[in-house]
Amino acid sequence: MKKYNRIFVIVLDSLGIGAMPDSEKFGDVGVDTFGHILDQMGTLEIPNLKKLGMLNLHCGGNMEKAAEPMGRYARLGEASNGKDTMTGHWEMMGIKTEKPFITFTEHGFPPELIAELEKRCGKRVIGNKSASGTEIIEELGEEEINTGAMIVYTSADSVLQICGNEETFDLQNLYRCCEMAREITLKDEWRVGRVIARPYVGKKKGEFKRTSNRHDYALKPTGPTVLNAMKDKGLDVIGVGKINDIFCGEGITETYHSTSSVNGMEQTIEISKKDFHGLCFVNLVDFDALWGHRRNTEGYGHEIEKFDKNLGVLLEQLKEDDLLILTADHGNDPTYTGSDHTREYVPFIAYSEQMENGGELEGENTFAVIGASIAENFDVDMPEGTIGHSILEKIV
Protein backbone atom coordinates (compact mmCIF):
# COMPACT_ATOMS: atom_id res chain seq x y z
CA MET A 1 0.00 0.00 0.00
CA LYS A 2 1.29 3.45 -0.94
CA LYS A 3 2.08 5.83 1.89
CA TYR A 4 1.94 9.61 2.04
CA ASN A 5 4.94 11.78 2.88
CA ARG A 6 2.85 14.69 4.17
CA ILE A 7 -0.73 14.84 5.42
CA PHE A 8 -2.68 18.09 5.76
CA VAL A 9 -5.74 17.97 8.04
CA ILE A 10 -7.81 21.15 7.84
CA VAL A 11 -10.62 21.62 10.36
CA LEU A 12 -13.36 23.96 9.16
CA ASP A 13 -14.37 24.77 12.71
CA SER A 14 -18.12 24.04 13.22
CA LEU A 15 -19.04 23.12 9.62
CA GLY A 16 -21.48 20.34 10.53
CA ILE A 17 -23.57 18.49 7.94
CA GLY A 18 -26.73 17.46 9.76
CA ALA A 19 -28.06 16.34 13.13
CA MET A 20 -26.75 13.18 14.75
CA PRO A 21 -29.34 10.67 16.03
CA ASP A 22 -28.74 11.76 19.64
CA SER A 23 -28.82 15.51 18.91
CA GLU A 24 -32.05 16.07 20.87
CA LYS A 25 -30.22 15.07 24.07
CA PHE A 26 -27.97 18.07 23.44
CA GLY A 27 -30.89 20.41 22.81
CA ASP A 28 -30.50 20.34 19.04
CA VAL A 29 -33.45 19.46 16.79
CA GLY A 30 -33.23 19.50 13.00
CA VAL A 31 -29.85 21.25 12.95
CA ASP A 32 -27.75 21.31 9.77
CA THR A 33 -25.02 23.94 9.54
CA PHE A 34 -23.91 23.51 5.92
CA GLY A 35 -27.30 22.49 4.56
CA HIS A 36 -29.15 25.40 6.11
CA ILE A 37 -26.53 27.88 4.91
CA LEU A 38 -27.05 26.57 1.37
CA ASP A 39 -30.83 26.65 1.74
CA GLN A 40 -30.81 30.25 2.97
CA MET A 41 -28.22 31.60 0.54
CA GLY A 42 -29.24 29.55 -2.48
CA THR A 43 -25.78 29.26 -3.98
CA LEU A 44 -22.17 29.59 -2.88
CA GLU A 45 -19.08 30.10 -5.04
CA ILE A 46 -17.23 26.97 -3.93
CA PRO A 47 -15.86 25.29 -7.09
CA ASN A 48 -13.00 23.57 -5.28
CA LEU A 49 -15.12 22.10 -2.51
CA LYS A 50 -17.57 21.01 -5.18
CA LYS A 51 -14.99 19.18 -7.26
CA LEU A 52 -13.67 17.41 -4.17
CA GLY A 53 -17.16 16.07 -3.43
CA MET A 54 -18.56 18.28 -0.66
CA LEU A 55 -21.89 18.70 -2.46
CA ASN A 56 -22.06 15.00 -3.23
CA LEU A 57 -21.74 14.38 0.48
CA HIS A 58 -24.25 17.04 1.51
CA CYS A 59 -26.18 19.35 -0.78
CA GLY A 60 -28.85 22.04 -0.48
CA GLY A 61 -30.16 25.28 -1.90
CA ASN A 62 -29.74 25.56 -5.67
CA MET A 63 -26.40 23.77 -5.69
CA GLU A 64 -25.65 20.72 -7.83
CA LYS A 65 -23.42 17.74 -7.11
CA ALA A 66 -20.20 17.19 -9.03
CA ALA A 67 -20.57 14.70 -11.87
CA GLU A 68 -17.18 13.14 -11.17
CA PRO A 69 -15.90 14.19 -7.72
CA MET A 70 -12.14 14.01 -7.25
CA GLY A 71 -12.14 13.31 -3.52
CA ARG A 72 -13.31 10.45 -1.37
CA TYR A 73 -15.87 11.52 1.16
CA ALA A 74 -17.86 10.23 4.12
CA ARG A 75 -19.98 11.37 7.03
CA LEU A 76 -18.39 11.05 10.47
CA GLY A 77 -20.33 10.81 13.73
CA GLU A 78 -18.92 11.79 17.11
CA ALA A 79 -18.39 9.03 19.67
CA SER A 80 -17.58 11.41 22.54
CA ASN A 81 -20.14 12.94 24.87
CA GLY A 82 -19.99 16.54 23.75
CA LYS A 83 -20.10 19.08 20.95
CA ASP A 84 -17.20 21.39 21.68
CA THR A 85 -13.83 22.23 20.16
CA MET A 86 -11.61 20.18 22.43
CA THR A 87 -13.84 17.11 22.46
CA GLY A 88 -13.93 17.08 18.66
CA HIS A 89 -10.23 17.67 18.07
CA TRP A 90 -9.13 15.28 20.79
CA GLU A 91 -11.34 12.57 19.32
CA MET A 92 -9.76 13.07 15.89
CA MET A 93 -6.45 12.12 17.50
CA GLY A 94 -7.79 9.15 19.47
CA ILE A 95 -9.32 10.39 22.75
CA LYS A 96 -12.95 9.58 23.56
CA THR A 97 -14.40 11.99 26.11
CA GLU A 98 -17.01 10.35 28.33
CA LYS A 99 -17.57 13.12 30.89
CA PRO A 100 -18.58 16.40 29.25
CA PHE A 101 -17.02 19.67 30.31
CA ILE A 102 -19.07 21.84 32.68
CA THR A 103 -21.01 24.84 31.38
CA PHE A 104 -22.16 27.87 33.39
CA THR A 105 -24.58 29.32 30.87
CA GLU A 106 -27.66 29.85 33.04
CA HIS A 107 -26.29 31.53 36.18
CA GLY A 108 -22.68 32.42 35.49
CA PHE A 109 -19.80 31.18 37.63
CA PRO A 110 -20.38 30.38 41.34
CA PRO A 111 -19.51 33.03 43.94
CA GLU A 112 -16.72 30.87 45.38
CA LEU A 113 -14.94 30.71 42.01
CA ILE A 114 -15.32 34.44 41.40
CA ALA A 115 -14.07 35.29 44.90
CA GLU A 116 -10.95 33.20 44.43
CA LEU A 117 -10.32 34.71 40.99
CA GLU A 118 -10.66 38.26 42.37
CA LYS A 119 -8.32 37.50 45.26
CA ARG A 120 -5.61 36.00 43.08
CA CYS A 121 -5.81 38.54 40.26
CA GLY A 122 -6.29 41.60 42.46
CA LYS A 123 -9.19 42.82 40.36
CA ARG A 124 -12.96 43.10 40.88
CA VAL A 125 -14.98 40.95 38.49
CA ILE A 126 -17.85 42.45 36.51
CA GLY A 127 -20.14 40.66 34.08
CA ASN A 128 -20.15 37.01 35.16
CA LYS A 129 -22.89 35.92 32.81
CA SER A 130 -23.40 34.23 29.47
CA ALA A 131 -22.96 36.80 26.74
CA SER A 132 -21.70 37.64 23.29
CA GLY A 133 -18.09 38.77 23.52
CA THR A 134 -18.57 41.87 21.42
CA GLU A 135 -21.78 42.84 23.23
CA ILE A 136 -20.37 42.52 26.74
CA ILE A 137 -17.40 44.71 25.79
CA GLU A 138 -19.84 47.37 24.54
CA GLU A 139 -21.81 47.05 27.78
CA LEU A 140 -18.97 46.99 30.30
CA GLY A 141 -15.83 48.17 28.50
CA GLU A 142 -16.02 51.75 29.78
CA GLU A 143 -16.58 50.55 33.35
CA GLU A 144 -13.56 48.24 33.11
CA ILE A 145 -11.35 51.05 31.81
CA ASN A 146 -12.56 53.59 34.37
CA THR A 147 -12.54 51.37 37.48
CA GLY A 148 -9.81 48.80 36.77
CA ALA A 149 -12.32 45.96 37.02
CA MET A 150 -12.13 42.76 34.97
CA ILE A 151 -14.85 41.53 32.59
CA VAL A 152 -15.50 37.81 33.02
CA TYR A 153 -18.14 35.99 31.01
CA THR A 154 -19.07 32.62 29.62
CA SER A 155 -21.13 31.31 26.72
CA ALA A 156 -23.02 28.19 25.76
CA ASP A 157 -19.63 26.47 25.58
CA SER A 158 -17.60 25.23 28.53
CA VAL A 159 -15.47 28.34 28.67
CA LEU A 160 -14.39 31.16 31.00
CA GLN A 161 -13.43 34.29 29.09
CA ILE A 162 -11.69 37.39 30.41
CA CYS A 163 -11.73 40.66 28.48
CA GLY A 164 -8.98 43.19 28.85
CA ASN A 165 -8.33 46.53 27.20
CA GLU A 166 -4.79 46.35 25.84
CA GLU A 167 -4.09 49.98 26.72
CA THR A 168 -5.28 49.92 30.36
CA PHE A 169 -5.24 46.27 31.46
CA ASP A 170 -1.88 45.33 29.92
CA LEU A 171 -1.77 42.26 27.73
CA GLN A 172 0.70 40.32 29.86
CA ASN A 173 -1.39 40.98 32.98
CA LEU A 174 -4.47 39.72 31.12
CA TYR A 175 -2.62 36.54 30.25
CA ARG A 176 -1.49 36.21 33.88
CA CYS A 177 -5.08 36.47 35.09
CA CYS A 178 -6.17 33.85 32.56
CA GLU A 179 -3.44 31.53 33.80
CA MET A 180 -4.79 32.02 37.34
CA ALA A 181 -8.29 31.23 36.10
CA ARG A 182 -7.03 28.11 34.34
CA GLU A 183 -5.44 26.88 37.57
CA ILE A 184 -8.60 27.59 39.60
CA THR A 185 -10.88 25.83 37.11
CA LEU A 186 -8.85 22.65 37.22
CA LYS A 187 -11.00 21.77 40.24
CA ASP A 188 -13.35 18.98 39.26
CA GLU A 189 -16.50 20.89 40.23
CA TRP A 190 -15.46 23.90 38.12
CA ARG A 191 -13.83 22.00 35.24
CA VAL A 192 -14.25 24.17 32.15
CA GLY A 193 -12.79 23.19 28.83
CA ARG A 194 -11.04 26.45 28.07
CA VAL A 195 -10.07 29.79 29.56
CA ILE A 196 -9.73 32.45 26.86
CA ALA A 197 -8.04 35.84 26.97
CA ARG A 198 -10.11 38.30 24.92
CA PRO A 199 -8.11 41.52 24.49
CA TYR A 200 -9.65 44.58 22.85
CA VAL A 201 -8.81 48.20 22.05
CA GLY A 202 -10.81 51.41 22.08
CA LYS A 203 -11.76 54.05 24.66
CA LYS A 204 -15.56 54.22 24.54
CA LYS A 205 -18.71 52.53 23.29
CA GLY A 206 -18.86 52.27 19.54
CA GLU A 207 -15.06 52.21 19.27
CA PHE A 208 -14.27 48.91 20.98
CA LYS A 209 -12.73 46.22 18.80
CA ARG A 210 -11.30 42.83 19.73
CA THR A 211 -7.73 42.13 18.62
CA SER A 212 -5.99 39.04 17.29
CA ASN A 213 -4.03 38.64 20.56
CA ARG A 214 -6.58 36.13 21.83
CA HIS A 215 -5.02 33.24 23.72
CA ASP A 216 -6.68 29.94 24.70
CA TYR A 217 -5.77 28.01 27.84
CA ALA A 218 -7.18 24.53 27.35
CA LEU A 219 -6.99 21.49 29.55
CA LYS A 220 -4.26 19.06 28.63
CA PRO A 221 -5.57 16.02 26.75
CA THR A 222 -6.56 13.26 29.17
CA GLY A 223 -3.95 10.95 27.68
CA PRO A 224 -1.39 10.67 24.88
CA THR A 225 -2.71 11.18 21.36
CA VAL A 226 -1.56 10.31 17.86
CA LEU A 227 0.27 13.65 17.90
CA ASN A 228 2.41 12.53 20.85
CA ALA A 229 3.19 9.23 19.13
CA MET A 230 4.25 11.01 15.95
CA LYS A 231 6.45 13.52 17.75
CA ASP A 232 8.07 10.74 19.78
CA LYS A 233 8.98 8.99 16.53
CA GLY A 234 10.68 12.11 15.17
CA LEU A 235 7.96 13.12 12.72
CA ASP A 236 6.93 16.71 12.09
CA VAL A 237 3.66 17.82 13.71
CA ILE A 238 2.89 21.38 12.62
CA GLY A 239 -0.05 23.17 14.25
CA VAL A 240 -1.78 26.13 12.59
CA GLY A 241 -4.34 28.36 14.33
CA LYS A 242 -5.76 27.05 17.62
CA ILE A 243 -4.24 23.56 17.35
CA ASN A 244 -1.38 24.27 19.75
CA ASP A 245 -3.80 25.74 22.31
CA ILE A 246 -6.32 22.89 21.96
CA PHE A 247 -3.64 20.29 22.72
CA CYS A 248 -1.68 22.49 25.18
CA GLY A 249 1.36 21.99 22.97
CA GLU A 250 1.27 18.22 23.52
CA GLY A 251 2.72 16.44 20.47
CA ILE A 252 3.34 19.68 18.52
CA THR A 253 6.77 20.31 17.01
CA GLU A 254 6.05 23.67 15.34
CA THR A 255 3.20 26.13 15.71
CA TYR A 256 1.77 29.11 13.79
CA HIS A 257 -0.61 31.62 15.34
CA SER A 258 -3.26 32.81 12.87
CA THR A 259 -4.97 36.20 12.92
CA SER A 260 -7.93 34.89 10.88
CA SER A 261 -9.05 31.84 8.94
CA VAL A 262 -7.85 33.45 5.73
CA ASN A 263 -4.46 33.98 7.36
CA GLY A 264 -4.50 30.36 8.54
CA MET A 265 -4.94 29.15 4.98
CA GLU A 266 -2.20 31.50 3.77
CA GLN A 267 0.11 30.02 6.39
CA THR A 268 -0.85 26.50 5.31
CA ILE A 269 -0.08 27.34 1.69
CA GLU A 270 3.37 28.59 2.72
CA ILE A 271 3.97 25.47 4.81
CA SER A 272 3.07 23.33 1.79
CA LYS A 273 6.03 24.87 -0.05
CA LYS A 274 8.43 23.55 2.60
CA ASP A 275 9.94 20.12 2.97
CA PHE A 276 8.63 18.26 6.00
CA HIS A 277 7.66 14.71 6.83
CA GLY A 278 4.55 14.27 8.92
CA LEU A 279 1.36 16.19 9.68
CA CYS A 280 0.18 19.76 9.20
CA PHE A 281 -2.90 20.14 11.44
CA VAL A 282 -4.95 23.30 10.83
CA ASN A 283 -7.88 24.89 12.66
CA LEU A 284 -9.84 27.65 10.93
CA VAL A 285 -11.87 29.24 13.72
CA ASP A 286 -13.68 32.14 12.06
CA PHE A 287 -16.55 29.98 10.76
CA ASP A 288 -17.41 29.28 14.40
CA ALA A 289 -16.28 32.37 16.31
CA LEU A 290 -17.34 35.11 13.89
CA TRP A 291 -20.43 33.62 12.27
CA GLY A 292 -21.81 30.46 13.90
CA HIS A 293 -22.07 31.77 17.45
CA ARG A 294 -23.38 35.11 16.18
CA ARG A 295 -25.99 33.35 14.04
CA ASN A 296 -24.87 35.16 10.92
CA THR A 297 -25.72 32.87 8.01
CA GLU A 298 -24.55 35.19 5.26
CA GLY A 299 -21.23 35.86 6.97
CA TYR A 300 -20.70 32.13 7.42
CA GLY A 301 -21.46 31.48 3.76
CA HIS A 302 -19.03 34.13 2.57
CA GLU A 303 -16.35 32.71 4.90
CA ILE A 304 -16.76 29.34 3.17
CA GLU A 305 -16.28 31.11 -0.17
CA LYS A 306 -13.07 32.76 1.07
CA PHE A 307 -11.81 29.38 2.20
CA ASP A 308 -12.60 27.85 -1.18
CA LYS A 309 -10.41 30.40 -2.99
CA ASN A 310 -7.39 29.54 -0.88
CA LEU A 311 -8.25 25.85 -1.10
CA GLY A 312 -7.74 26.17 -4.85
CA VAL A 313 -4.28 27.69 -4.27
CA LEU A 314 -3.37 24.91 -1.83
CA LEU A 315 -4.49 22.18 -4.24
CA GLU A 316 -2.06 23.54 -6.83
CA GLN A 317 0.80 23.32 -4.31
CA LEU A 318 0.20 19.74 -3.18
CA LYS A 319 2.59 17.05 -4.34
CA GLU A 320 1.65 13.61 -5.59
CA ASP A 321 2.55 11.98 -2.30
CA ASP A 322 0.58 14.50 -0.19
CA LEU A 323 -2.84 13.77 1.34
CA LEU A 324 -5.38 16.47 2.12
CA ILE A 325 -8.19 15.83 4.62
CA LEU A 326 -10.99 18.35 5.21
CA THR A 327 -13.25 17.92 8.24
CA ALA A 328 -14.96 19.72 11.15
CA ASP A 329 -15.12 19.33 14.93
CA HIS A 330 -18.87 19.91 15.58
CA GLY A 331 -21.71 21.99 14.15
CA ASN A 332 -22.83 25.57 14.80
CA ASP A 333 -25.98 26.07 12.77
CA PRO A 334 -26.35 29.84 12.23
CA THR A 335 -30.08 29.41 11.56
CA TYR A 336 -30.74 27.69 14.91
CA THR A 337 -31.91 29.25 18.18
CA GLY A 338 -29.47 30.43 20.84
CA SER A 339 -25.73 30.73 20.24
CA ASP A 340 -24.42 27.27 21.09
CA HIS A 341 -22.61 24.64 19.05
CA THR A 342 -24.86 21.99 17.55
CA ARG A 343 -24.47 18.20 17.73
CA GLU A 344 -23.92 17.18 14.10
CA TYR A 345 -22.17 14.83 11.77
CA VAL A 346 -19.06 16.30 10.18
CA PRO A 347 -17.62 15.92 6.67
CA PHE A 348 -14.61 13.81 5.86
CA ILE A 349 -13.12 14.63 2.46
CA ALA A 350 -9.80 13.12 1.41
CA TYR A 351 -7.87 13.96 -1.73
CA SER A 352 -4.49 13.13 -3.24
CA GLU A 353 -3.13 13.28 -6.77
CA GLN A 354 -2.27 9.61 -6.51
CA MET A 355 -5.94 8.62 -6.06
CA GLU A 356 -7.25 6.99 -9.18
CA ASN A 357 -10.81 8.20 -8.60
CA GLY A 358 -13.12 9.77 -6.06
CA GLY A 359 -16.38 8.61 -4.57
CA GLU A 360 -18.39 8.04 -1.43
CA LEU A 361 -17.07 5.98 1.48
CA GLU A 362 -19.08 4.26 4.17
CA GLY A 363 -19.87 6.56 7.09
CA GLU A 364 -18.01 6.13 10.36
CA ASN A 365 -19.14 6.52 13.97
CA THR A 366 -16.07 8.32 15.25
CA PHE A 367 -13.77 11.17 14.24
CA ALA A 368 -10.88 8.98 15.42
CA VAL A 369 -10.57 7.30 12.02
CA ILE A 370 -8.58 10.41 11.07
CA GLY A 371 -5.85 9.93 13.66
CA ALA A 372 -5.79 6.16 13.23
CA SER A 373 -5.30 6.51 9.48
CA ILE A 374 -2.50 9.03 10.01
CA ALA A 375 -0.85 6.67 12.49
CA GLU A 376 -0.95 3.75 10.06
CA ASN A 377 0.40 5.90 7.26
CA PHE A 378 3.49 6.83 9.29
CA ASP A 379 3.88 3.38 10.90
CA VAL A 380 3.12 4.81 14.34
CA ASP A 381 1.45 2.74 17.06
CA MET A 382 -1.76 4.17 18.49
CA PRO A 383 -1.15 5.14 22.14
CA GLU A 384 -2.68 2.96 24.83
CA GLY A 385 -6.24 3.98 25.69
CA THR A 386 -7.00 5.65 22.36
CA ILE A 387 -9.84 4.75 20.02
CA GLY A 388 -10.16 4.61 16.25
CA HIS A 389 -9.49 2.35 13.31
CA SER A 390 -7.62 3.16 10.13
CA ILE A 391 -9.36 3.69 6.79
CA LEU A 392 -6.07 4.40 5.04
CA GLU A 393 -6.59 1.64 2.47
CA LYS A 394 -9.74 3.49 1.31
CA ILE A 395 -7.94 6.79 0.71
CA VAL A 396 -4.78 5.78 -1.16
Side-chain angles (χ1 to χ4, degrees):
M1 185 167 57
K2 293 179 181 178
K3 297 291 182 73
Y4 298 104
N5 181 54
R6 308 186 301 178
I7 296 179
F8 295 80
V9 175
I10 301 178
V11 181
L12 282 68
D13 199 308
S14 84
L15 191 64
I17 54 171
M20 286 186 57
D22 63 355
S23 65
E24 288 190 33
K25 297 178 183 177
F26 293 80
D28 303 326
V29 179
V31 291
D32 183 353
T33 301
F34 186 58
H36 287 160
I37 291 170
L38 293 178
D39 289 342
Q40 191 156 317
M41 296 192 69
T43 59
L44 291 176
E45 284 294 318
I46 50 172
N48 296 297
L49 281 169
K50 178 176 179 177
K51 71 182 183 182
L52 291 182
M54 182 67 174
L55 296 172
N56 298 70
L57 177 61
H58 198 65
C59 205
N62 301 320
M63 303 295 287
E64 295 182 357
K65 300 177 181 180
E68 296 182 2
M70 295 164 44
R72 295 180 185 165
Y73 47 89
R75 186 183 305 261
L76 303 185
E78 185 168 10
S80 295
N81 185 13
K83 55 175 181 177
D84 58 76
T85 298
M86 290 199 309
T87 301
H89 283 77
W90 289 4
E91 184 170 320
M92 289 177 207
M93 294 300 135
I95 291 181
K96 181 180 180 181
T97 301
E98 300 283 3
K99 183 180 179 180
F101 298 110
I102 299 172
T103 58
F104 297 88
T105 308
E106 293 186 11
H107 305 294
F109 299 101
E112 298 83 3
L113 189 159
I114 294 298
E116 188 170 347
L117 185 61
E118 289 180 326
K119 179 181 177 181
R120 295 186 62 174
C121 294
K123 282 181 170 286
R124 179 174 63 92
V125 166
I126 56 176
N128 190 26
K129 60 183 178 180
S130 179
S132 156
T134 52
E135 290 175 2
I136 202 165
I137 291 171
E138 281 295 299
E139 177 189 349
L140 299 175
E142 290 183 359
E143 181 180 352
E144 182 194 67
I145 292 169
N146 293 332
T147 68
M150 178 170 68
I151 301 171
V152 174
Y153 71 105
T154 188
S155 68
D157 300 341
S158 177
V159 63
L160 184 154
Q161 305 188 73
I162 303 179
C163 300
N165 187 287
E166 292 194 8
E167 298 171 0
T168 58
F169 198 134
D170 178 63
L171 196 57
Q172 294 308 313
N173 193 27
L174 173 62
Y175 292 160
R176 181 189 68 86
C177 291
C178 287
E179 289 167 4
M180 298 288 188
R182 176 70 281 173
E183 187 176 333
I184 293 168
T185 54
L186 289 176
K187 292 184 178 181
D188 202 48
E189 65 269 28
W190 299 337
R191 187 172 178 261
V192 299
R194 283 177 296 160
V195 172
I196 304 179
R198 290 287 197 176
Y200 67 97
V201 293
K203 291 182 170 58
K204 61 182 181 180
K205 289 182 180 180
E207 295 181 355
F208 296 132
K209 185 178 180 180
R210 295 201 297 199
T211 75
S212 62
N213 290 320
R214 161 184 172 157
H215 189 67
D216 292 42
Y217 299 82
L219 290 172
K220 282 190 176 183
T222 53
T225 71
V226 172
L227 304 183
N228 296 104
M230 291 183 66
K231 181 179 179 180
D232 290 346
K233 197 170 179 179
L235 293 157
D236 295 308
V237 183
I238 303 170
V240 177
K242 292 198 305 180
I243 296 299
N244 191 67
D245 290 340
I246 293 167
F247 289 89
C248 282
E250 292 288 311
I252 308 295
T253 62
E254 188 177 350
T255 185
Y256 292 80
H257 171 73
S258 305
T259 58
S260 66
S261 288
V262 170
N263 178 234
M265 279 300 290
E266 291 170 345
Q267 291 169 319
T268 305
I269 290 164
E270 289 305 307
I271 292 167
S272 73
K273 299 174 184 178
K274 301 178 181 179
D275 289 328
F276 70 91
H277 181 51
L279 172 66
C280 178
F281 196 5
V282 183
N283 174 276
L284 304 177
V285 71
D286 287 353
F287 303 101
D288 185 58
L290 294 185
W291 315 118
H293 285 301
R294 298 181 189 178
R295 295 304 189 246
N296 186 328
T297 306
E298 186 174 345
Y300 203 133
H302 290 319
E303 194 70 47
I304 298 171
E305 292 178 327
K306 291 177 190 176
F307 165 76
D308 192 87
K309 287 183 180 179
N310 275 322
L311 174 60
V313 178
L314 178 62
L315 288 171
E316 292 177 357
Q317 293 293 331
L318 294 181
K319 301 174 182 178
E320 186 178 358
D321 59 353
D322 288 341
L323 173 67
L324 171 67
I325 295 174
L326 305 179
T327 191
D329 52 345
H330 50 72
N332 200 346
D333 188 340
T335 71
Y336 199 55
T337 58
S339 61
D340 194 4
H341 295 152
T342 44
R343 174 80 168 177
E344 298 184 45
Y345 289 104
V346 303
F348 172 87
I349 300 175
Y351 171 73
S352 174
E353 282 187 30
Q354 70 184 36
M355 289 179 178
E356 293 183 3
N357 50 58
E360 187 170 5
L361 304 174
E362 184 179 353
E364 300 286 349
N365 61 8
T366 175
F367 302 170
V369 296
I370 296 173
S373 301
I374 293 169
E376 182 182 6
N377 181 79
F378 292 109
D379 297 317
V380 169
D381 292 331
M382 292 286 287
E384 185 177 352
T386 54
I387 66 169
H389 60 276
S390 175
I391 57 171
L392 184 64
E393 64 179 11
K394 300 178 182 179
I395 54 174
V396 292

Coordinates of all heavy atoms in Angstrom, one line a residue, residues 56-85:
N56 N -21.6 16.4 -3.1 CA -22.1 15.0 -3.2 C -22.3 14.4 -1.9 O -23.2 13.6 -1.7 CB -21.0 14.2 -4.0 CG -20.8 14.6 -5.4 OD1 -20.2 15.7 -5.6 ND2 -21.2 13.9 -6.4
L57 N -21.6 14.8 -0.9 CA -21.7 14.4 0.5 C -23.0 15.0 1.1 O -23.7 14.4 1.8 CB -20.5 14.7 1.3 CG -20.5 14.4 2.8 CD1 -20.6 12.9 3.0 CD2 -19.2 14.9 3.4
H58 N -23.1 16.3 0.9 CA -24.2 17.0 1.5 C -24.6 18.3 0.7 O -23.8 19.2 0.5 CB -23.8 17.5 2.9 CG -25.0 17.8 3.8 ND1 -25.9 16.9 4.2 CD2 -25.3 19.0 4.4 CE1 -26.8 17.5 5.0 NE2 -26.5 18.8 5.1
C59 N -25.8 18.3 0.1 CA -26.2 19.4 -0.8 C -27.4 20.1 -0.2 O -28.0 19.7 0.7 CB -26.5 18.8 -2.2 SG -26.3 20.0 -3.5
G60 N -27.7 21.2 -0.9 CA -28.8 22.0 -0.5 C -28.9 23.3 -1.4 O -28.1 23.5 -2.2
G61 N -30.0 24.1 -1.1 CA -30.2 25.3 -1.9 C -30.3 25.0 -3.4 O -31.0 24.0 -3.7
N62 N -29.7 25.8 -4.2 CA -29.7 25.6 -5.7 C -28.5 24.9 -6.2 O -28.2 25.0 -7.4 CB -30.0 26.9 -6.4 CG -31.3 27.6 -5.9 OD1 -32.3 26.9 -5.8 ND2 -31.2 28.9 -5.7
M63 N -27.7 24.3 -5.3 CA -26.4 23.8 -5.7 C -26.6 22.4 -6.3 O -27.6 21.7 -6.1 CB -25.5 23.7 -4.5 CG -25.2 25.0 -3.7 SD -24.3 26.2 -4.7 CE -22.7 25.5 -4.7
E64 N -25.6 22.0 -7.2 CA -25.6 20.7 -7.8 C -24.4 19.9 -7.5 O -23.3 20.5 -7.3 CB -25.7 20.9 -9.3 CG -27.0 21.5 -9.8 CD -27.1 21.6 -11.3 OE1 -26.0 21.3 -12.0 OE2 -28.1 22.1 -11.9
K65 N -24.5 18.6 -7.4 CA -23.4 17.7 -7.1 C -22.4 17.7 -8.3 O -22.8 18.0 -9.4 CB -23.9 16.3 -6.8 CG -24.9 16.2 -5.7 CD -25.4 14.8 -5.5 CE -26.4 14.7 -4.3 NZ -26.9 13.3 -4.2
A66 N -21.2 17.4 -8.0 CA -20.2 17.2 -9.0 C -20.5 15.9 -9.8 O -20.8 14.9 -9.1 CB -18.8 17.2 -8.4
A67 N -20.3 15.9 -11.1 CA -20.6 14.7 -11.9 C -19.5 13.6 -11.6 O -19.8 12.4 -11.5 CB -20.6 15.1 -13.4
E68 N -18.3 14.1 -11.5 CA -17.2 13.1 -11.2 C -16.3 13.7 -10.1 O -15.2 14.3 -10.4 CB -16.4 12.9 -12.4 CG -17.1 12.2 -13.5 CD -16.3 11.9 -14.8 OE1 -15.1 12.2 -14.7 OE2 -16.8 11.3 -15.7
P69 N -16.7 13.6 -8.8 CA -15.9 14.2 -7.7 C -14.5 13.6 -7.6 O -14.3 12.4 -7.8 CB -16.7 13.9 -6.5 CG -17.6 12.7 -6.9 CD -17.9 12.9 -8.3
M70 N -13.5 14.4 -7.3 CA -12.1 14.0 -7.3 C -11.8 13.4 -5.9 O -10.9 12.6 -5.8 CB -11.2 15.2 -7.5 CG -11.3 15.8 -8.9 SD -10.6 17.5 -8.9 CE -9.1 17.3 -8.0
G71 N -12.5 13.8 -4.9 CA -12.1 13.3 -3.5 C -13.0 12.1 -3.1 O -13.9 11.7 -3.8
R72 N -12.5 11.5 -2.0 CA -13.3 10.5 -1.4 C -13.9 11.0 -0.1 O -13.2 11.7 0.7 CB -12.4 9.2 -1.1 CG -11.9 8.7 -2.4 CD -11.1 7.5 -2.3 NE -10.6 7.1 -3.6 CZ -9.6 6.2 -3.9 NH1 -8.9 5.7 -2.8 NH2 -9.2 5.9 -5.1
Y73 N -15.2 10.8 0.1 CA -15.9 11.5 1.2 C -16.8 10.6 2.0 O -17.3 9.6 1.5 CB -16.7 12.7 0.5 CG -17.5 12.3 -0.7 CD1 -18.8 11.8 -0.6 CD2 -16.9 12.3 -2.0 CE1 -19.5 11.4 -1.7 CE2 -17.6 12.0 -3.1 CZ -18.9 11.5 -2.9 OH -19.6 11.1 -4.0
A74 N -17.0 11.0 3.2 CA -17.9 10.2 4.1 C -18.4 11.2 5.2 O -17.9 12.3 5.4 CB -17.1 9.1 4.8
R75 N -19.4 10.7 5.9 CA -20.0 11.4 7.0 C -19.4 10.7 8.3 O -19.5 9.5 8.5 CB -21.5 11.2 6.9 CG -22.3 12.0 8.0 CD -23.8 11.7 7.8 NE -24.2 11.9 6.4 CZ -24.9 13.0 6.0 NH1 -25.1 14.0 6.9 NH2 -25.2 13.1 4.8
L76 N -18.9 11.6 9.2 CA -18.4 11.1 10.5 C -19.3 11.5 11.6 O -19.7 12.6 11.7 CB -17.0 11.6 10.7 CG -15.9 11.3 9.7 CD1 -14.5 11.8 10.2 CD2 -15.8 9.9 9.3
G77 N -19.6 10.5 12.5 CA -20.3 10.8 13.7 C -19.3 10.9 14.9 O -18.2 10.5 14.8
E78 N -19.8 11.6 16.0 CA -18.9 11.8 17.1 C -19.2 10.8 18.2 O -20.4 10.6 18.6 CB -19.1 13.2 17.7 CG -18.2 13.5 18.8 CD -18.1 15.0 19.2 OE1 -19.0 15.8 18.7 OE2 -17.2 15.4 19.9
A79 N -18.2 10.0 18.6 CA -18.4 9.0 19.7 C -18.4 9.7 21.1 O -19.0 9.1 22.0 CB -17.3 8.0 19.6
S80 N -17.7 10.8 21.2 CA -17.6 11.4 22.5 C -18.9 12.1 23.0 O -19.8 12.3 22.2 CB -16.5 12.5 22.5 OG -15.2 11.9 22.3
N81 N -19.0 12.3 24.3 CA -20.1 12.9 24.9 C -19.9 14.4 24.9 O -19.5 15.0 25.9 CB -20.4 12.4 26.3 CG -21.6 12.9 26.9 OD1 -22.5 13.5 26.2 ND2 -21.8 12.7 28.2
G82 N -20.2 15.1 23.8 CA -20.0 16.5 23.7 C -20.2 17.1 22.4 O -20.4 16.4 21.4
K83 N -20.0 18.4 22.2 CA -20.1 19.1 21.0 C -19.2 20.4 21.0 O -19.7 21.4 20.5 CB -21.6 19.4 20.6 CG -22.3 20.2 21.7 CD -23.7 20.6 21.2 CE -24.4 21.4 22.3 NZ -25.8 21.9 21.8
D84 N -18.1 20.2 21.6 CA -17.2 21.4 21.7 C -15.9 21.2 21.0 O -15.6 20.1 20.5 CB -17.0 21.7 23.1 CG -16.3 20.6 23.9 OD1 -15.1 20.4 23.8 OD2 -17.1 19.9 24.7
T85 N -15.1 22.2 20.9 CA -13.8 22.2 20.2 C -12.9 21.1 20.6 O -12.3 20.4 19.8 CB -13.2 23.6 20.3 OG1 -14.0 24.6 19.7 CG2 -11.8 23.6 19.6

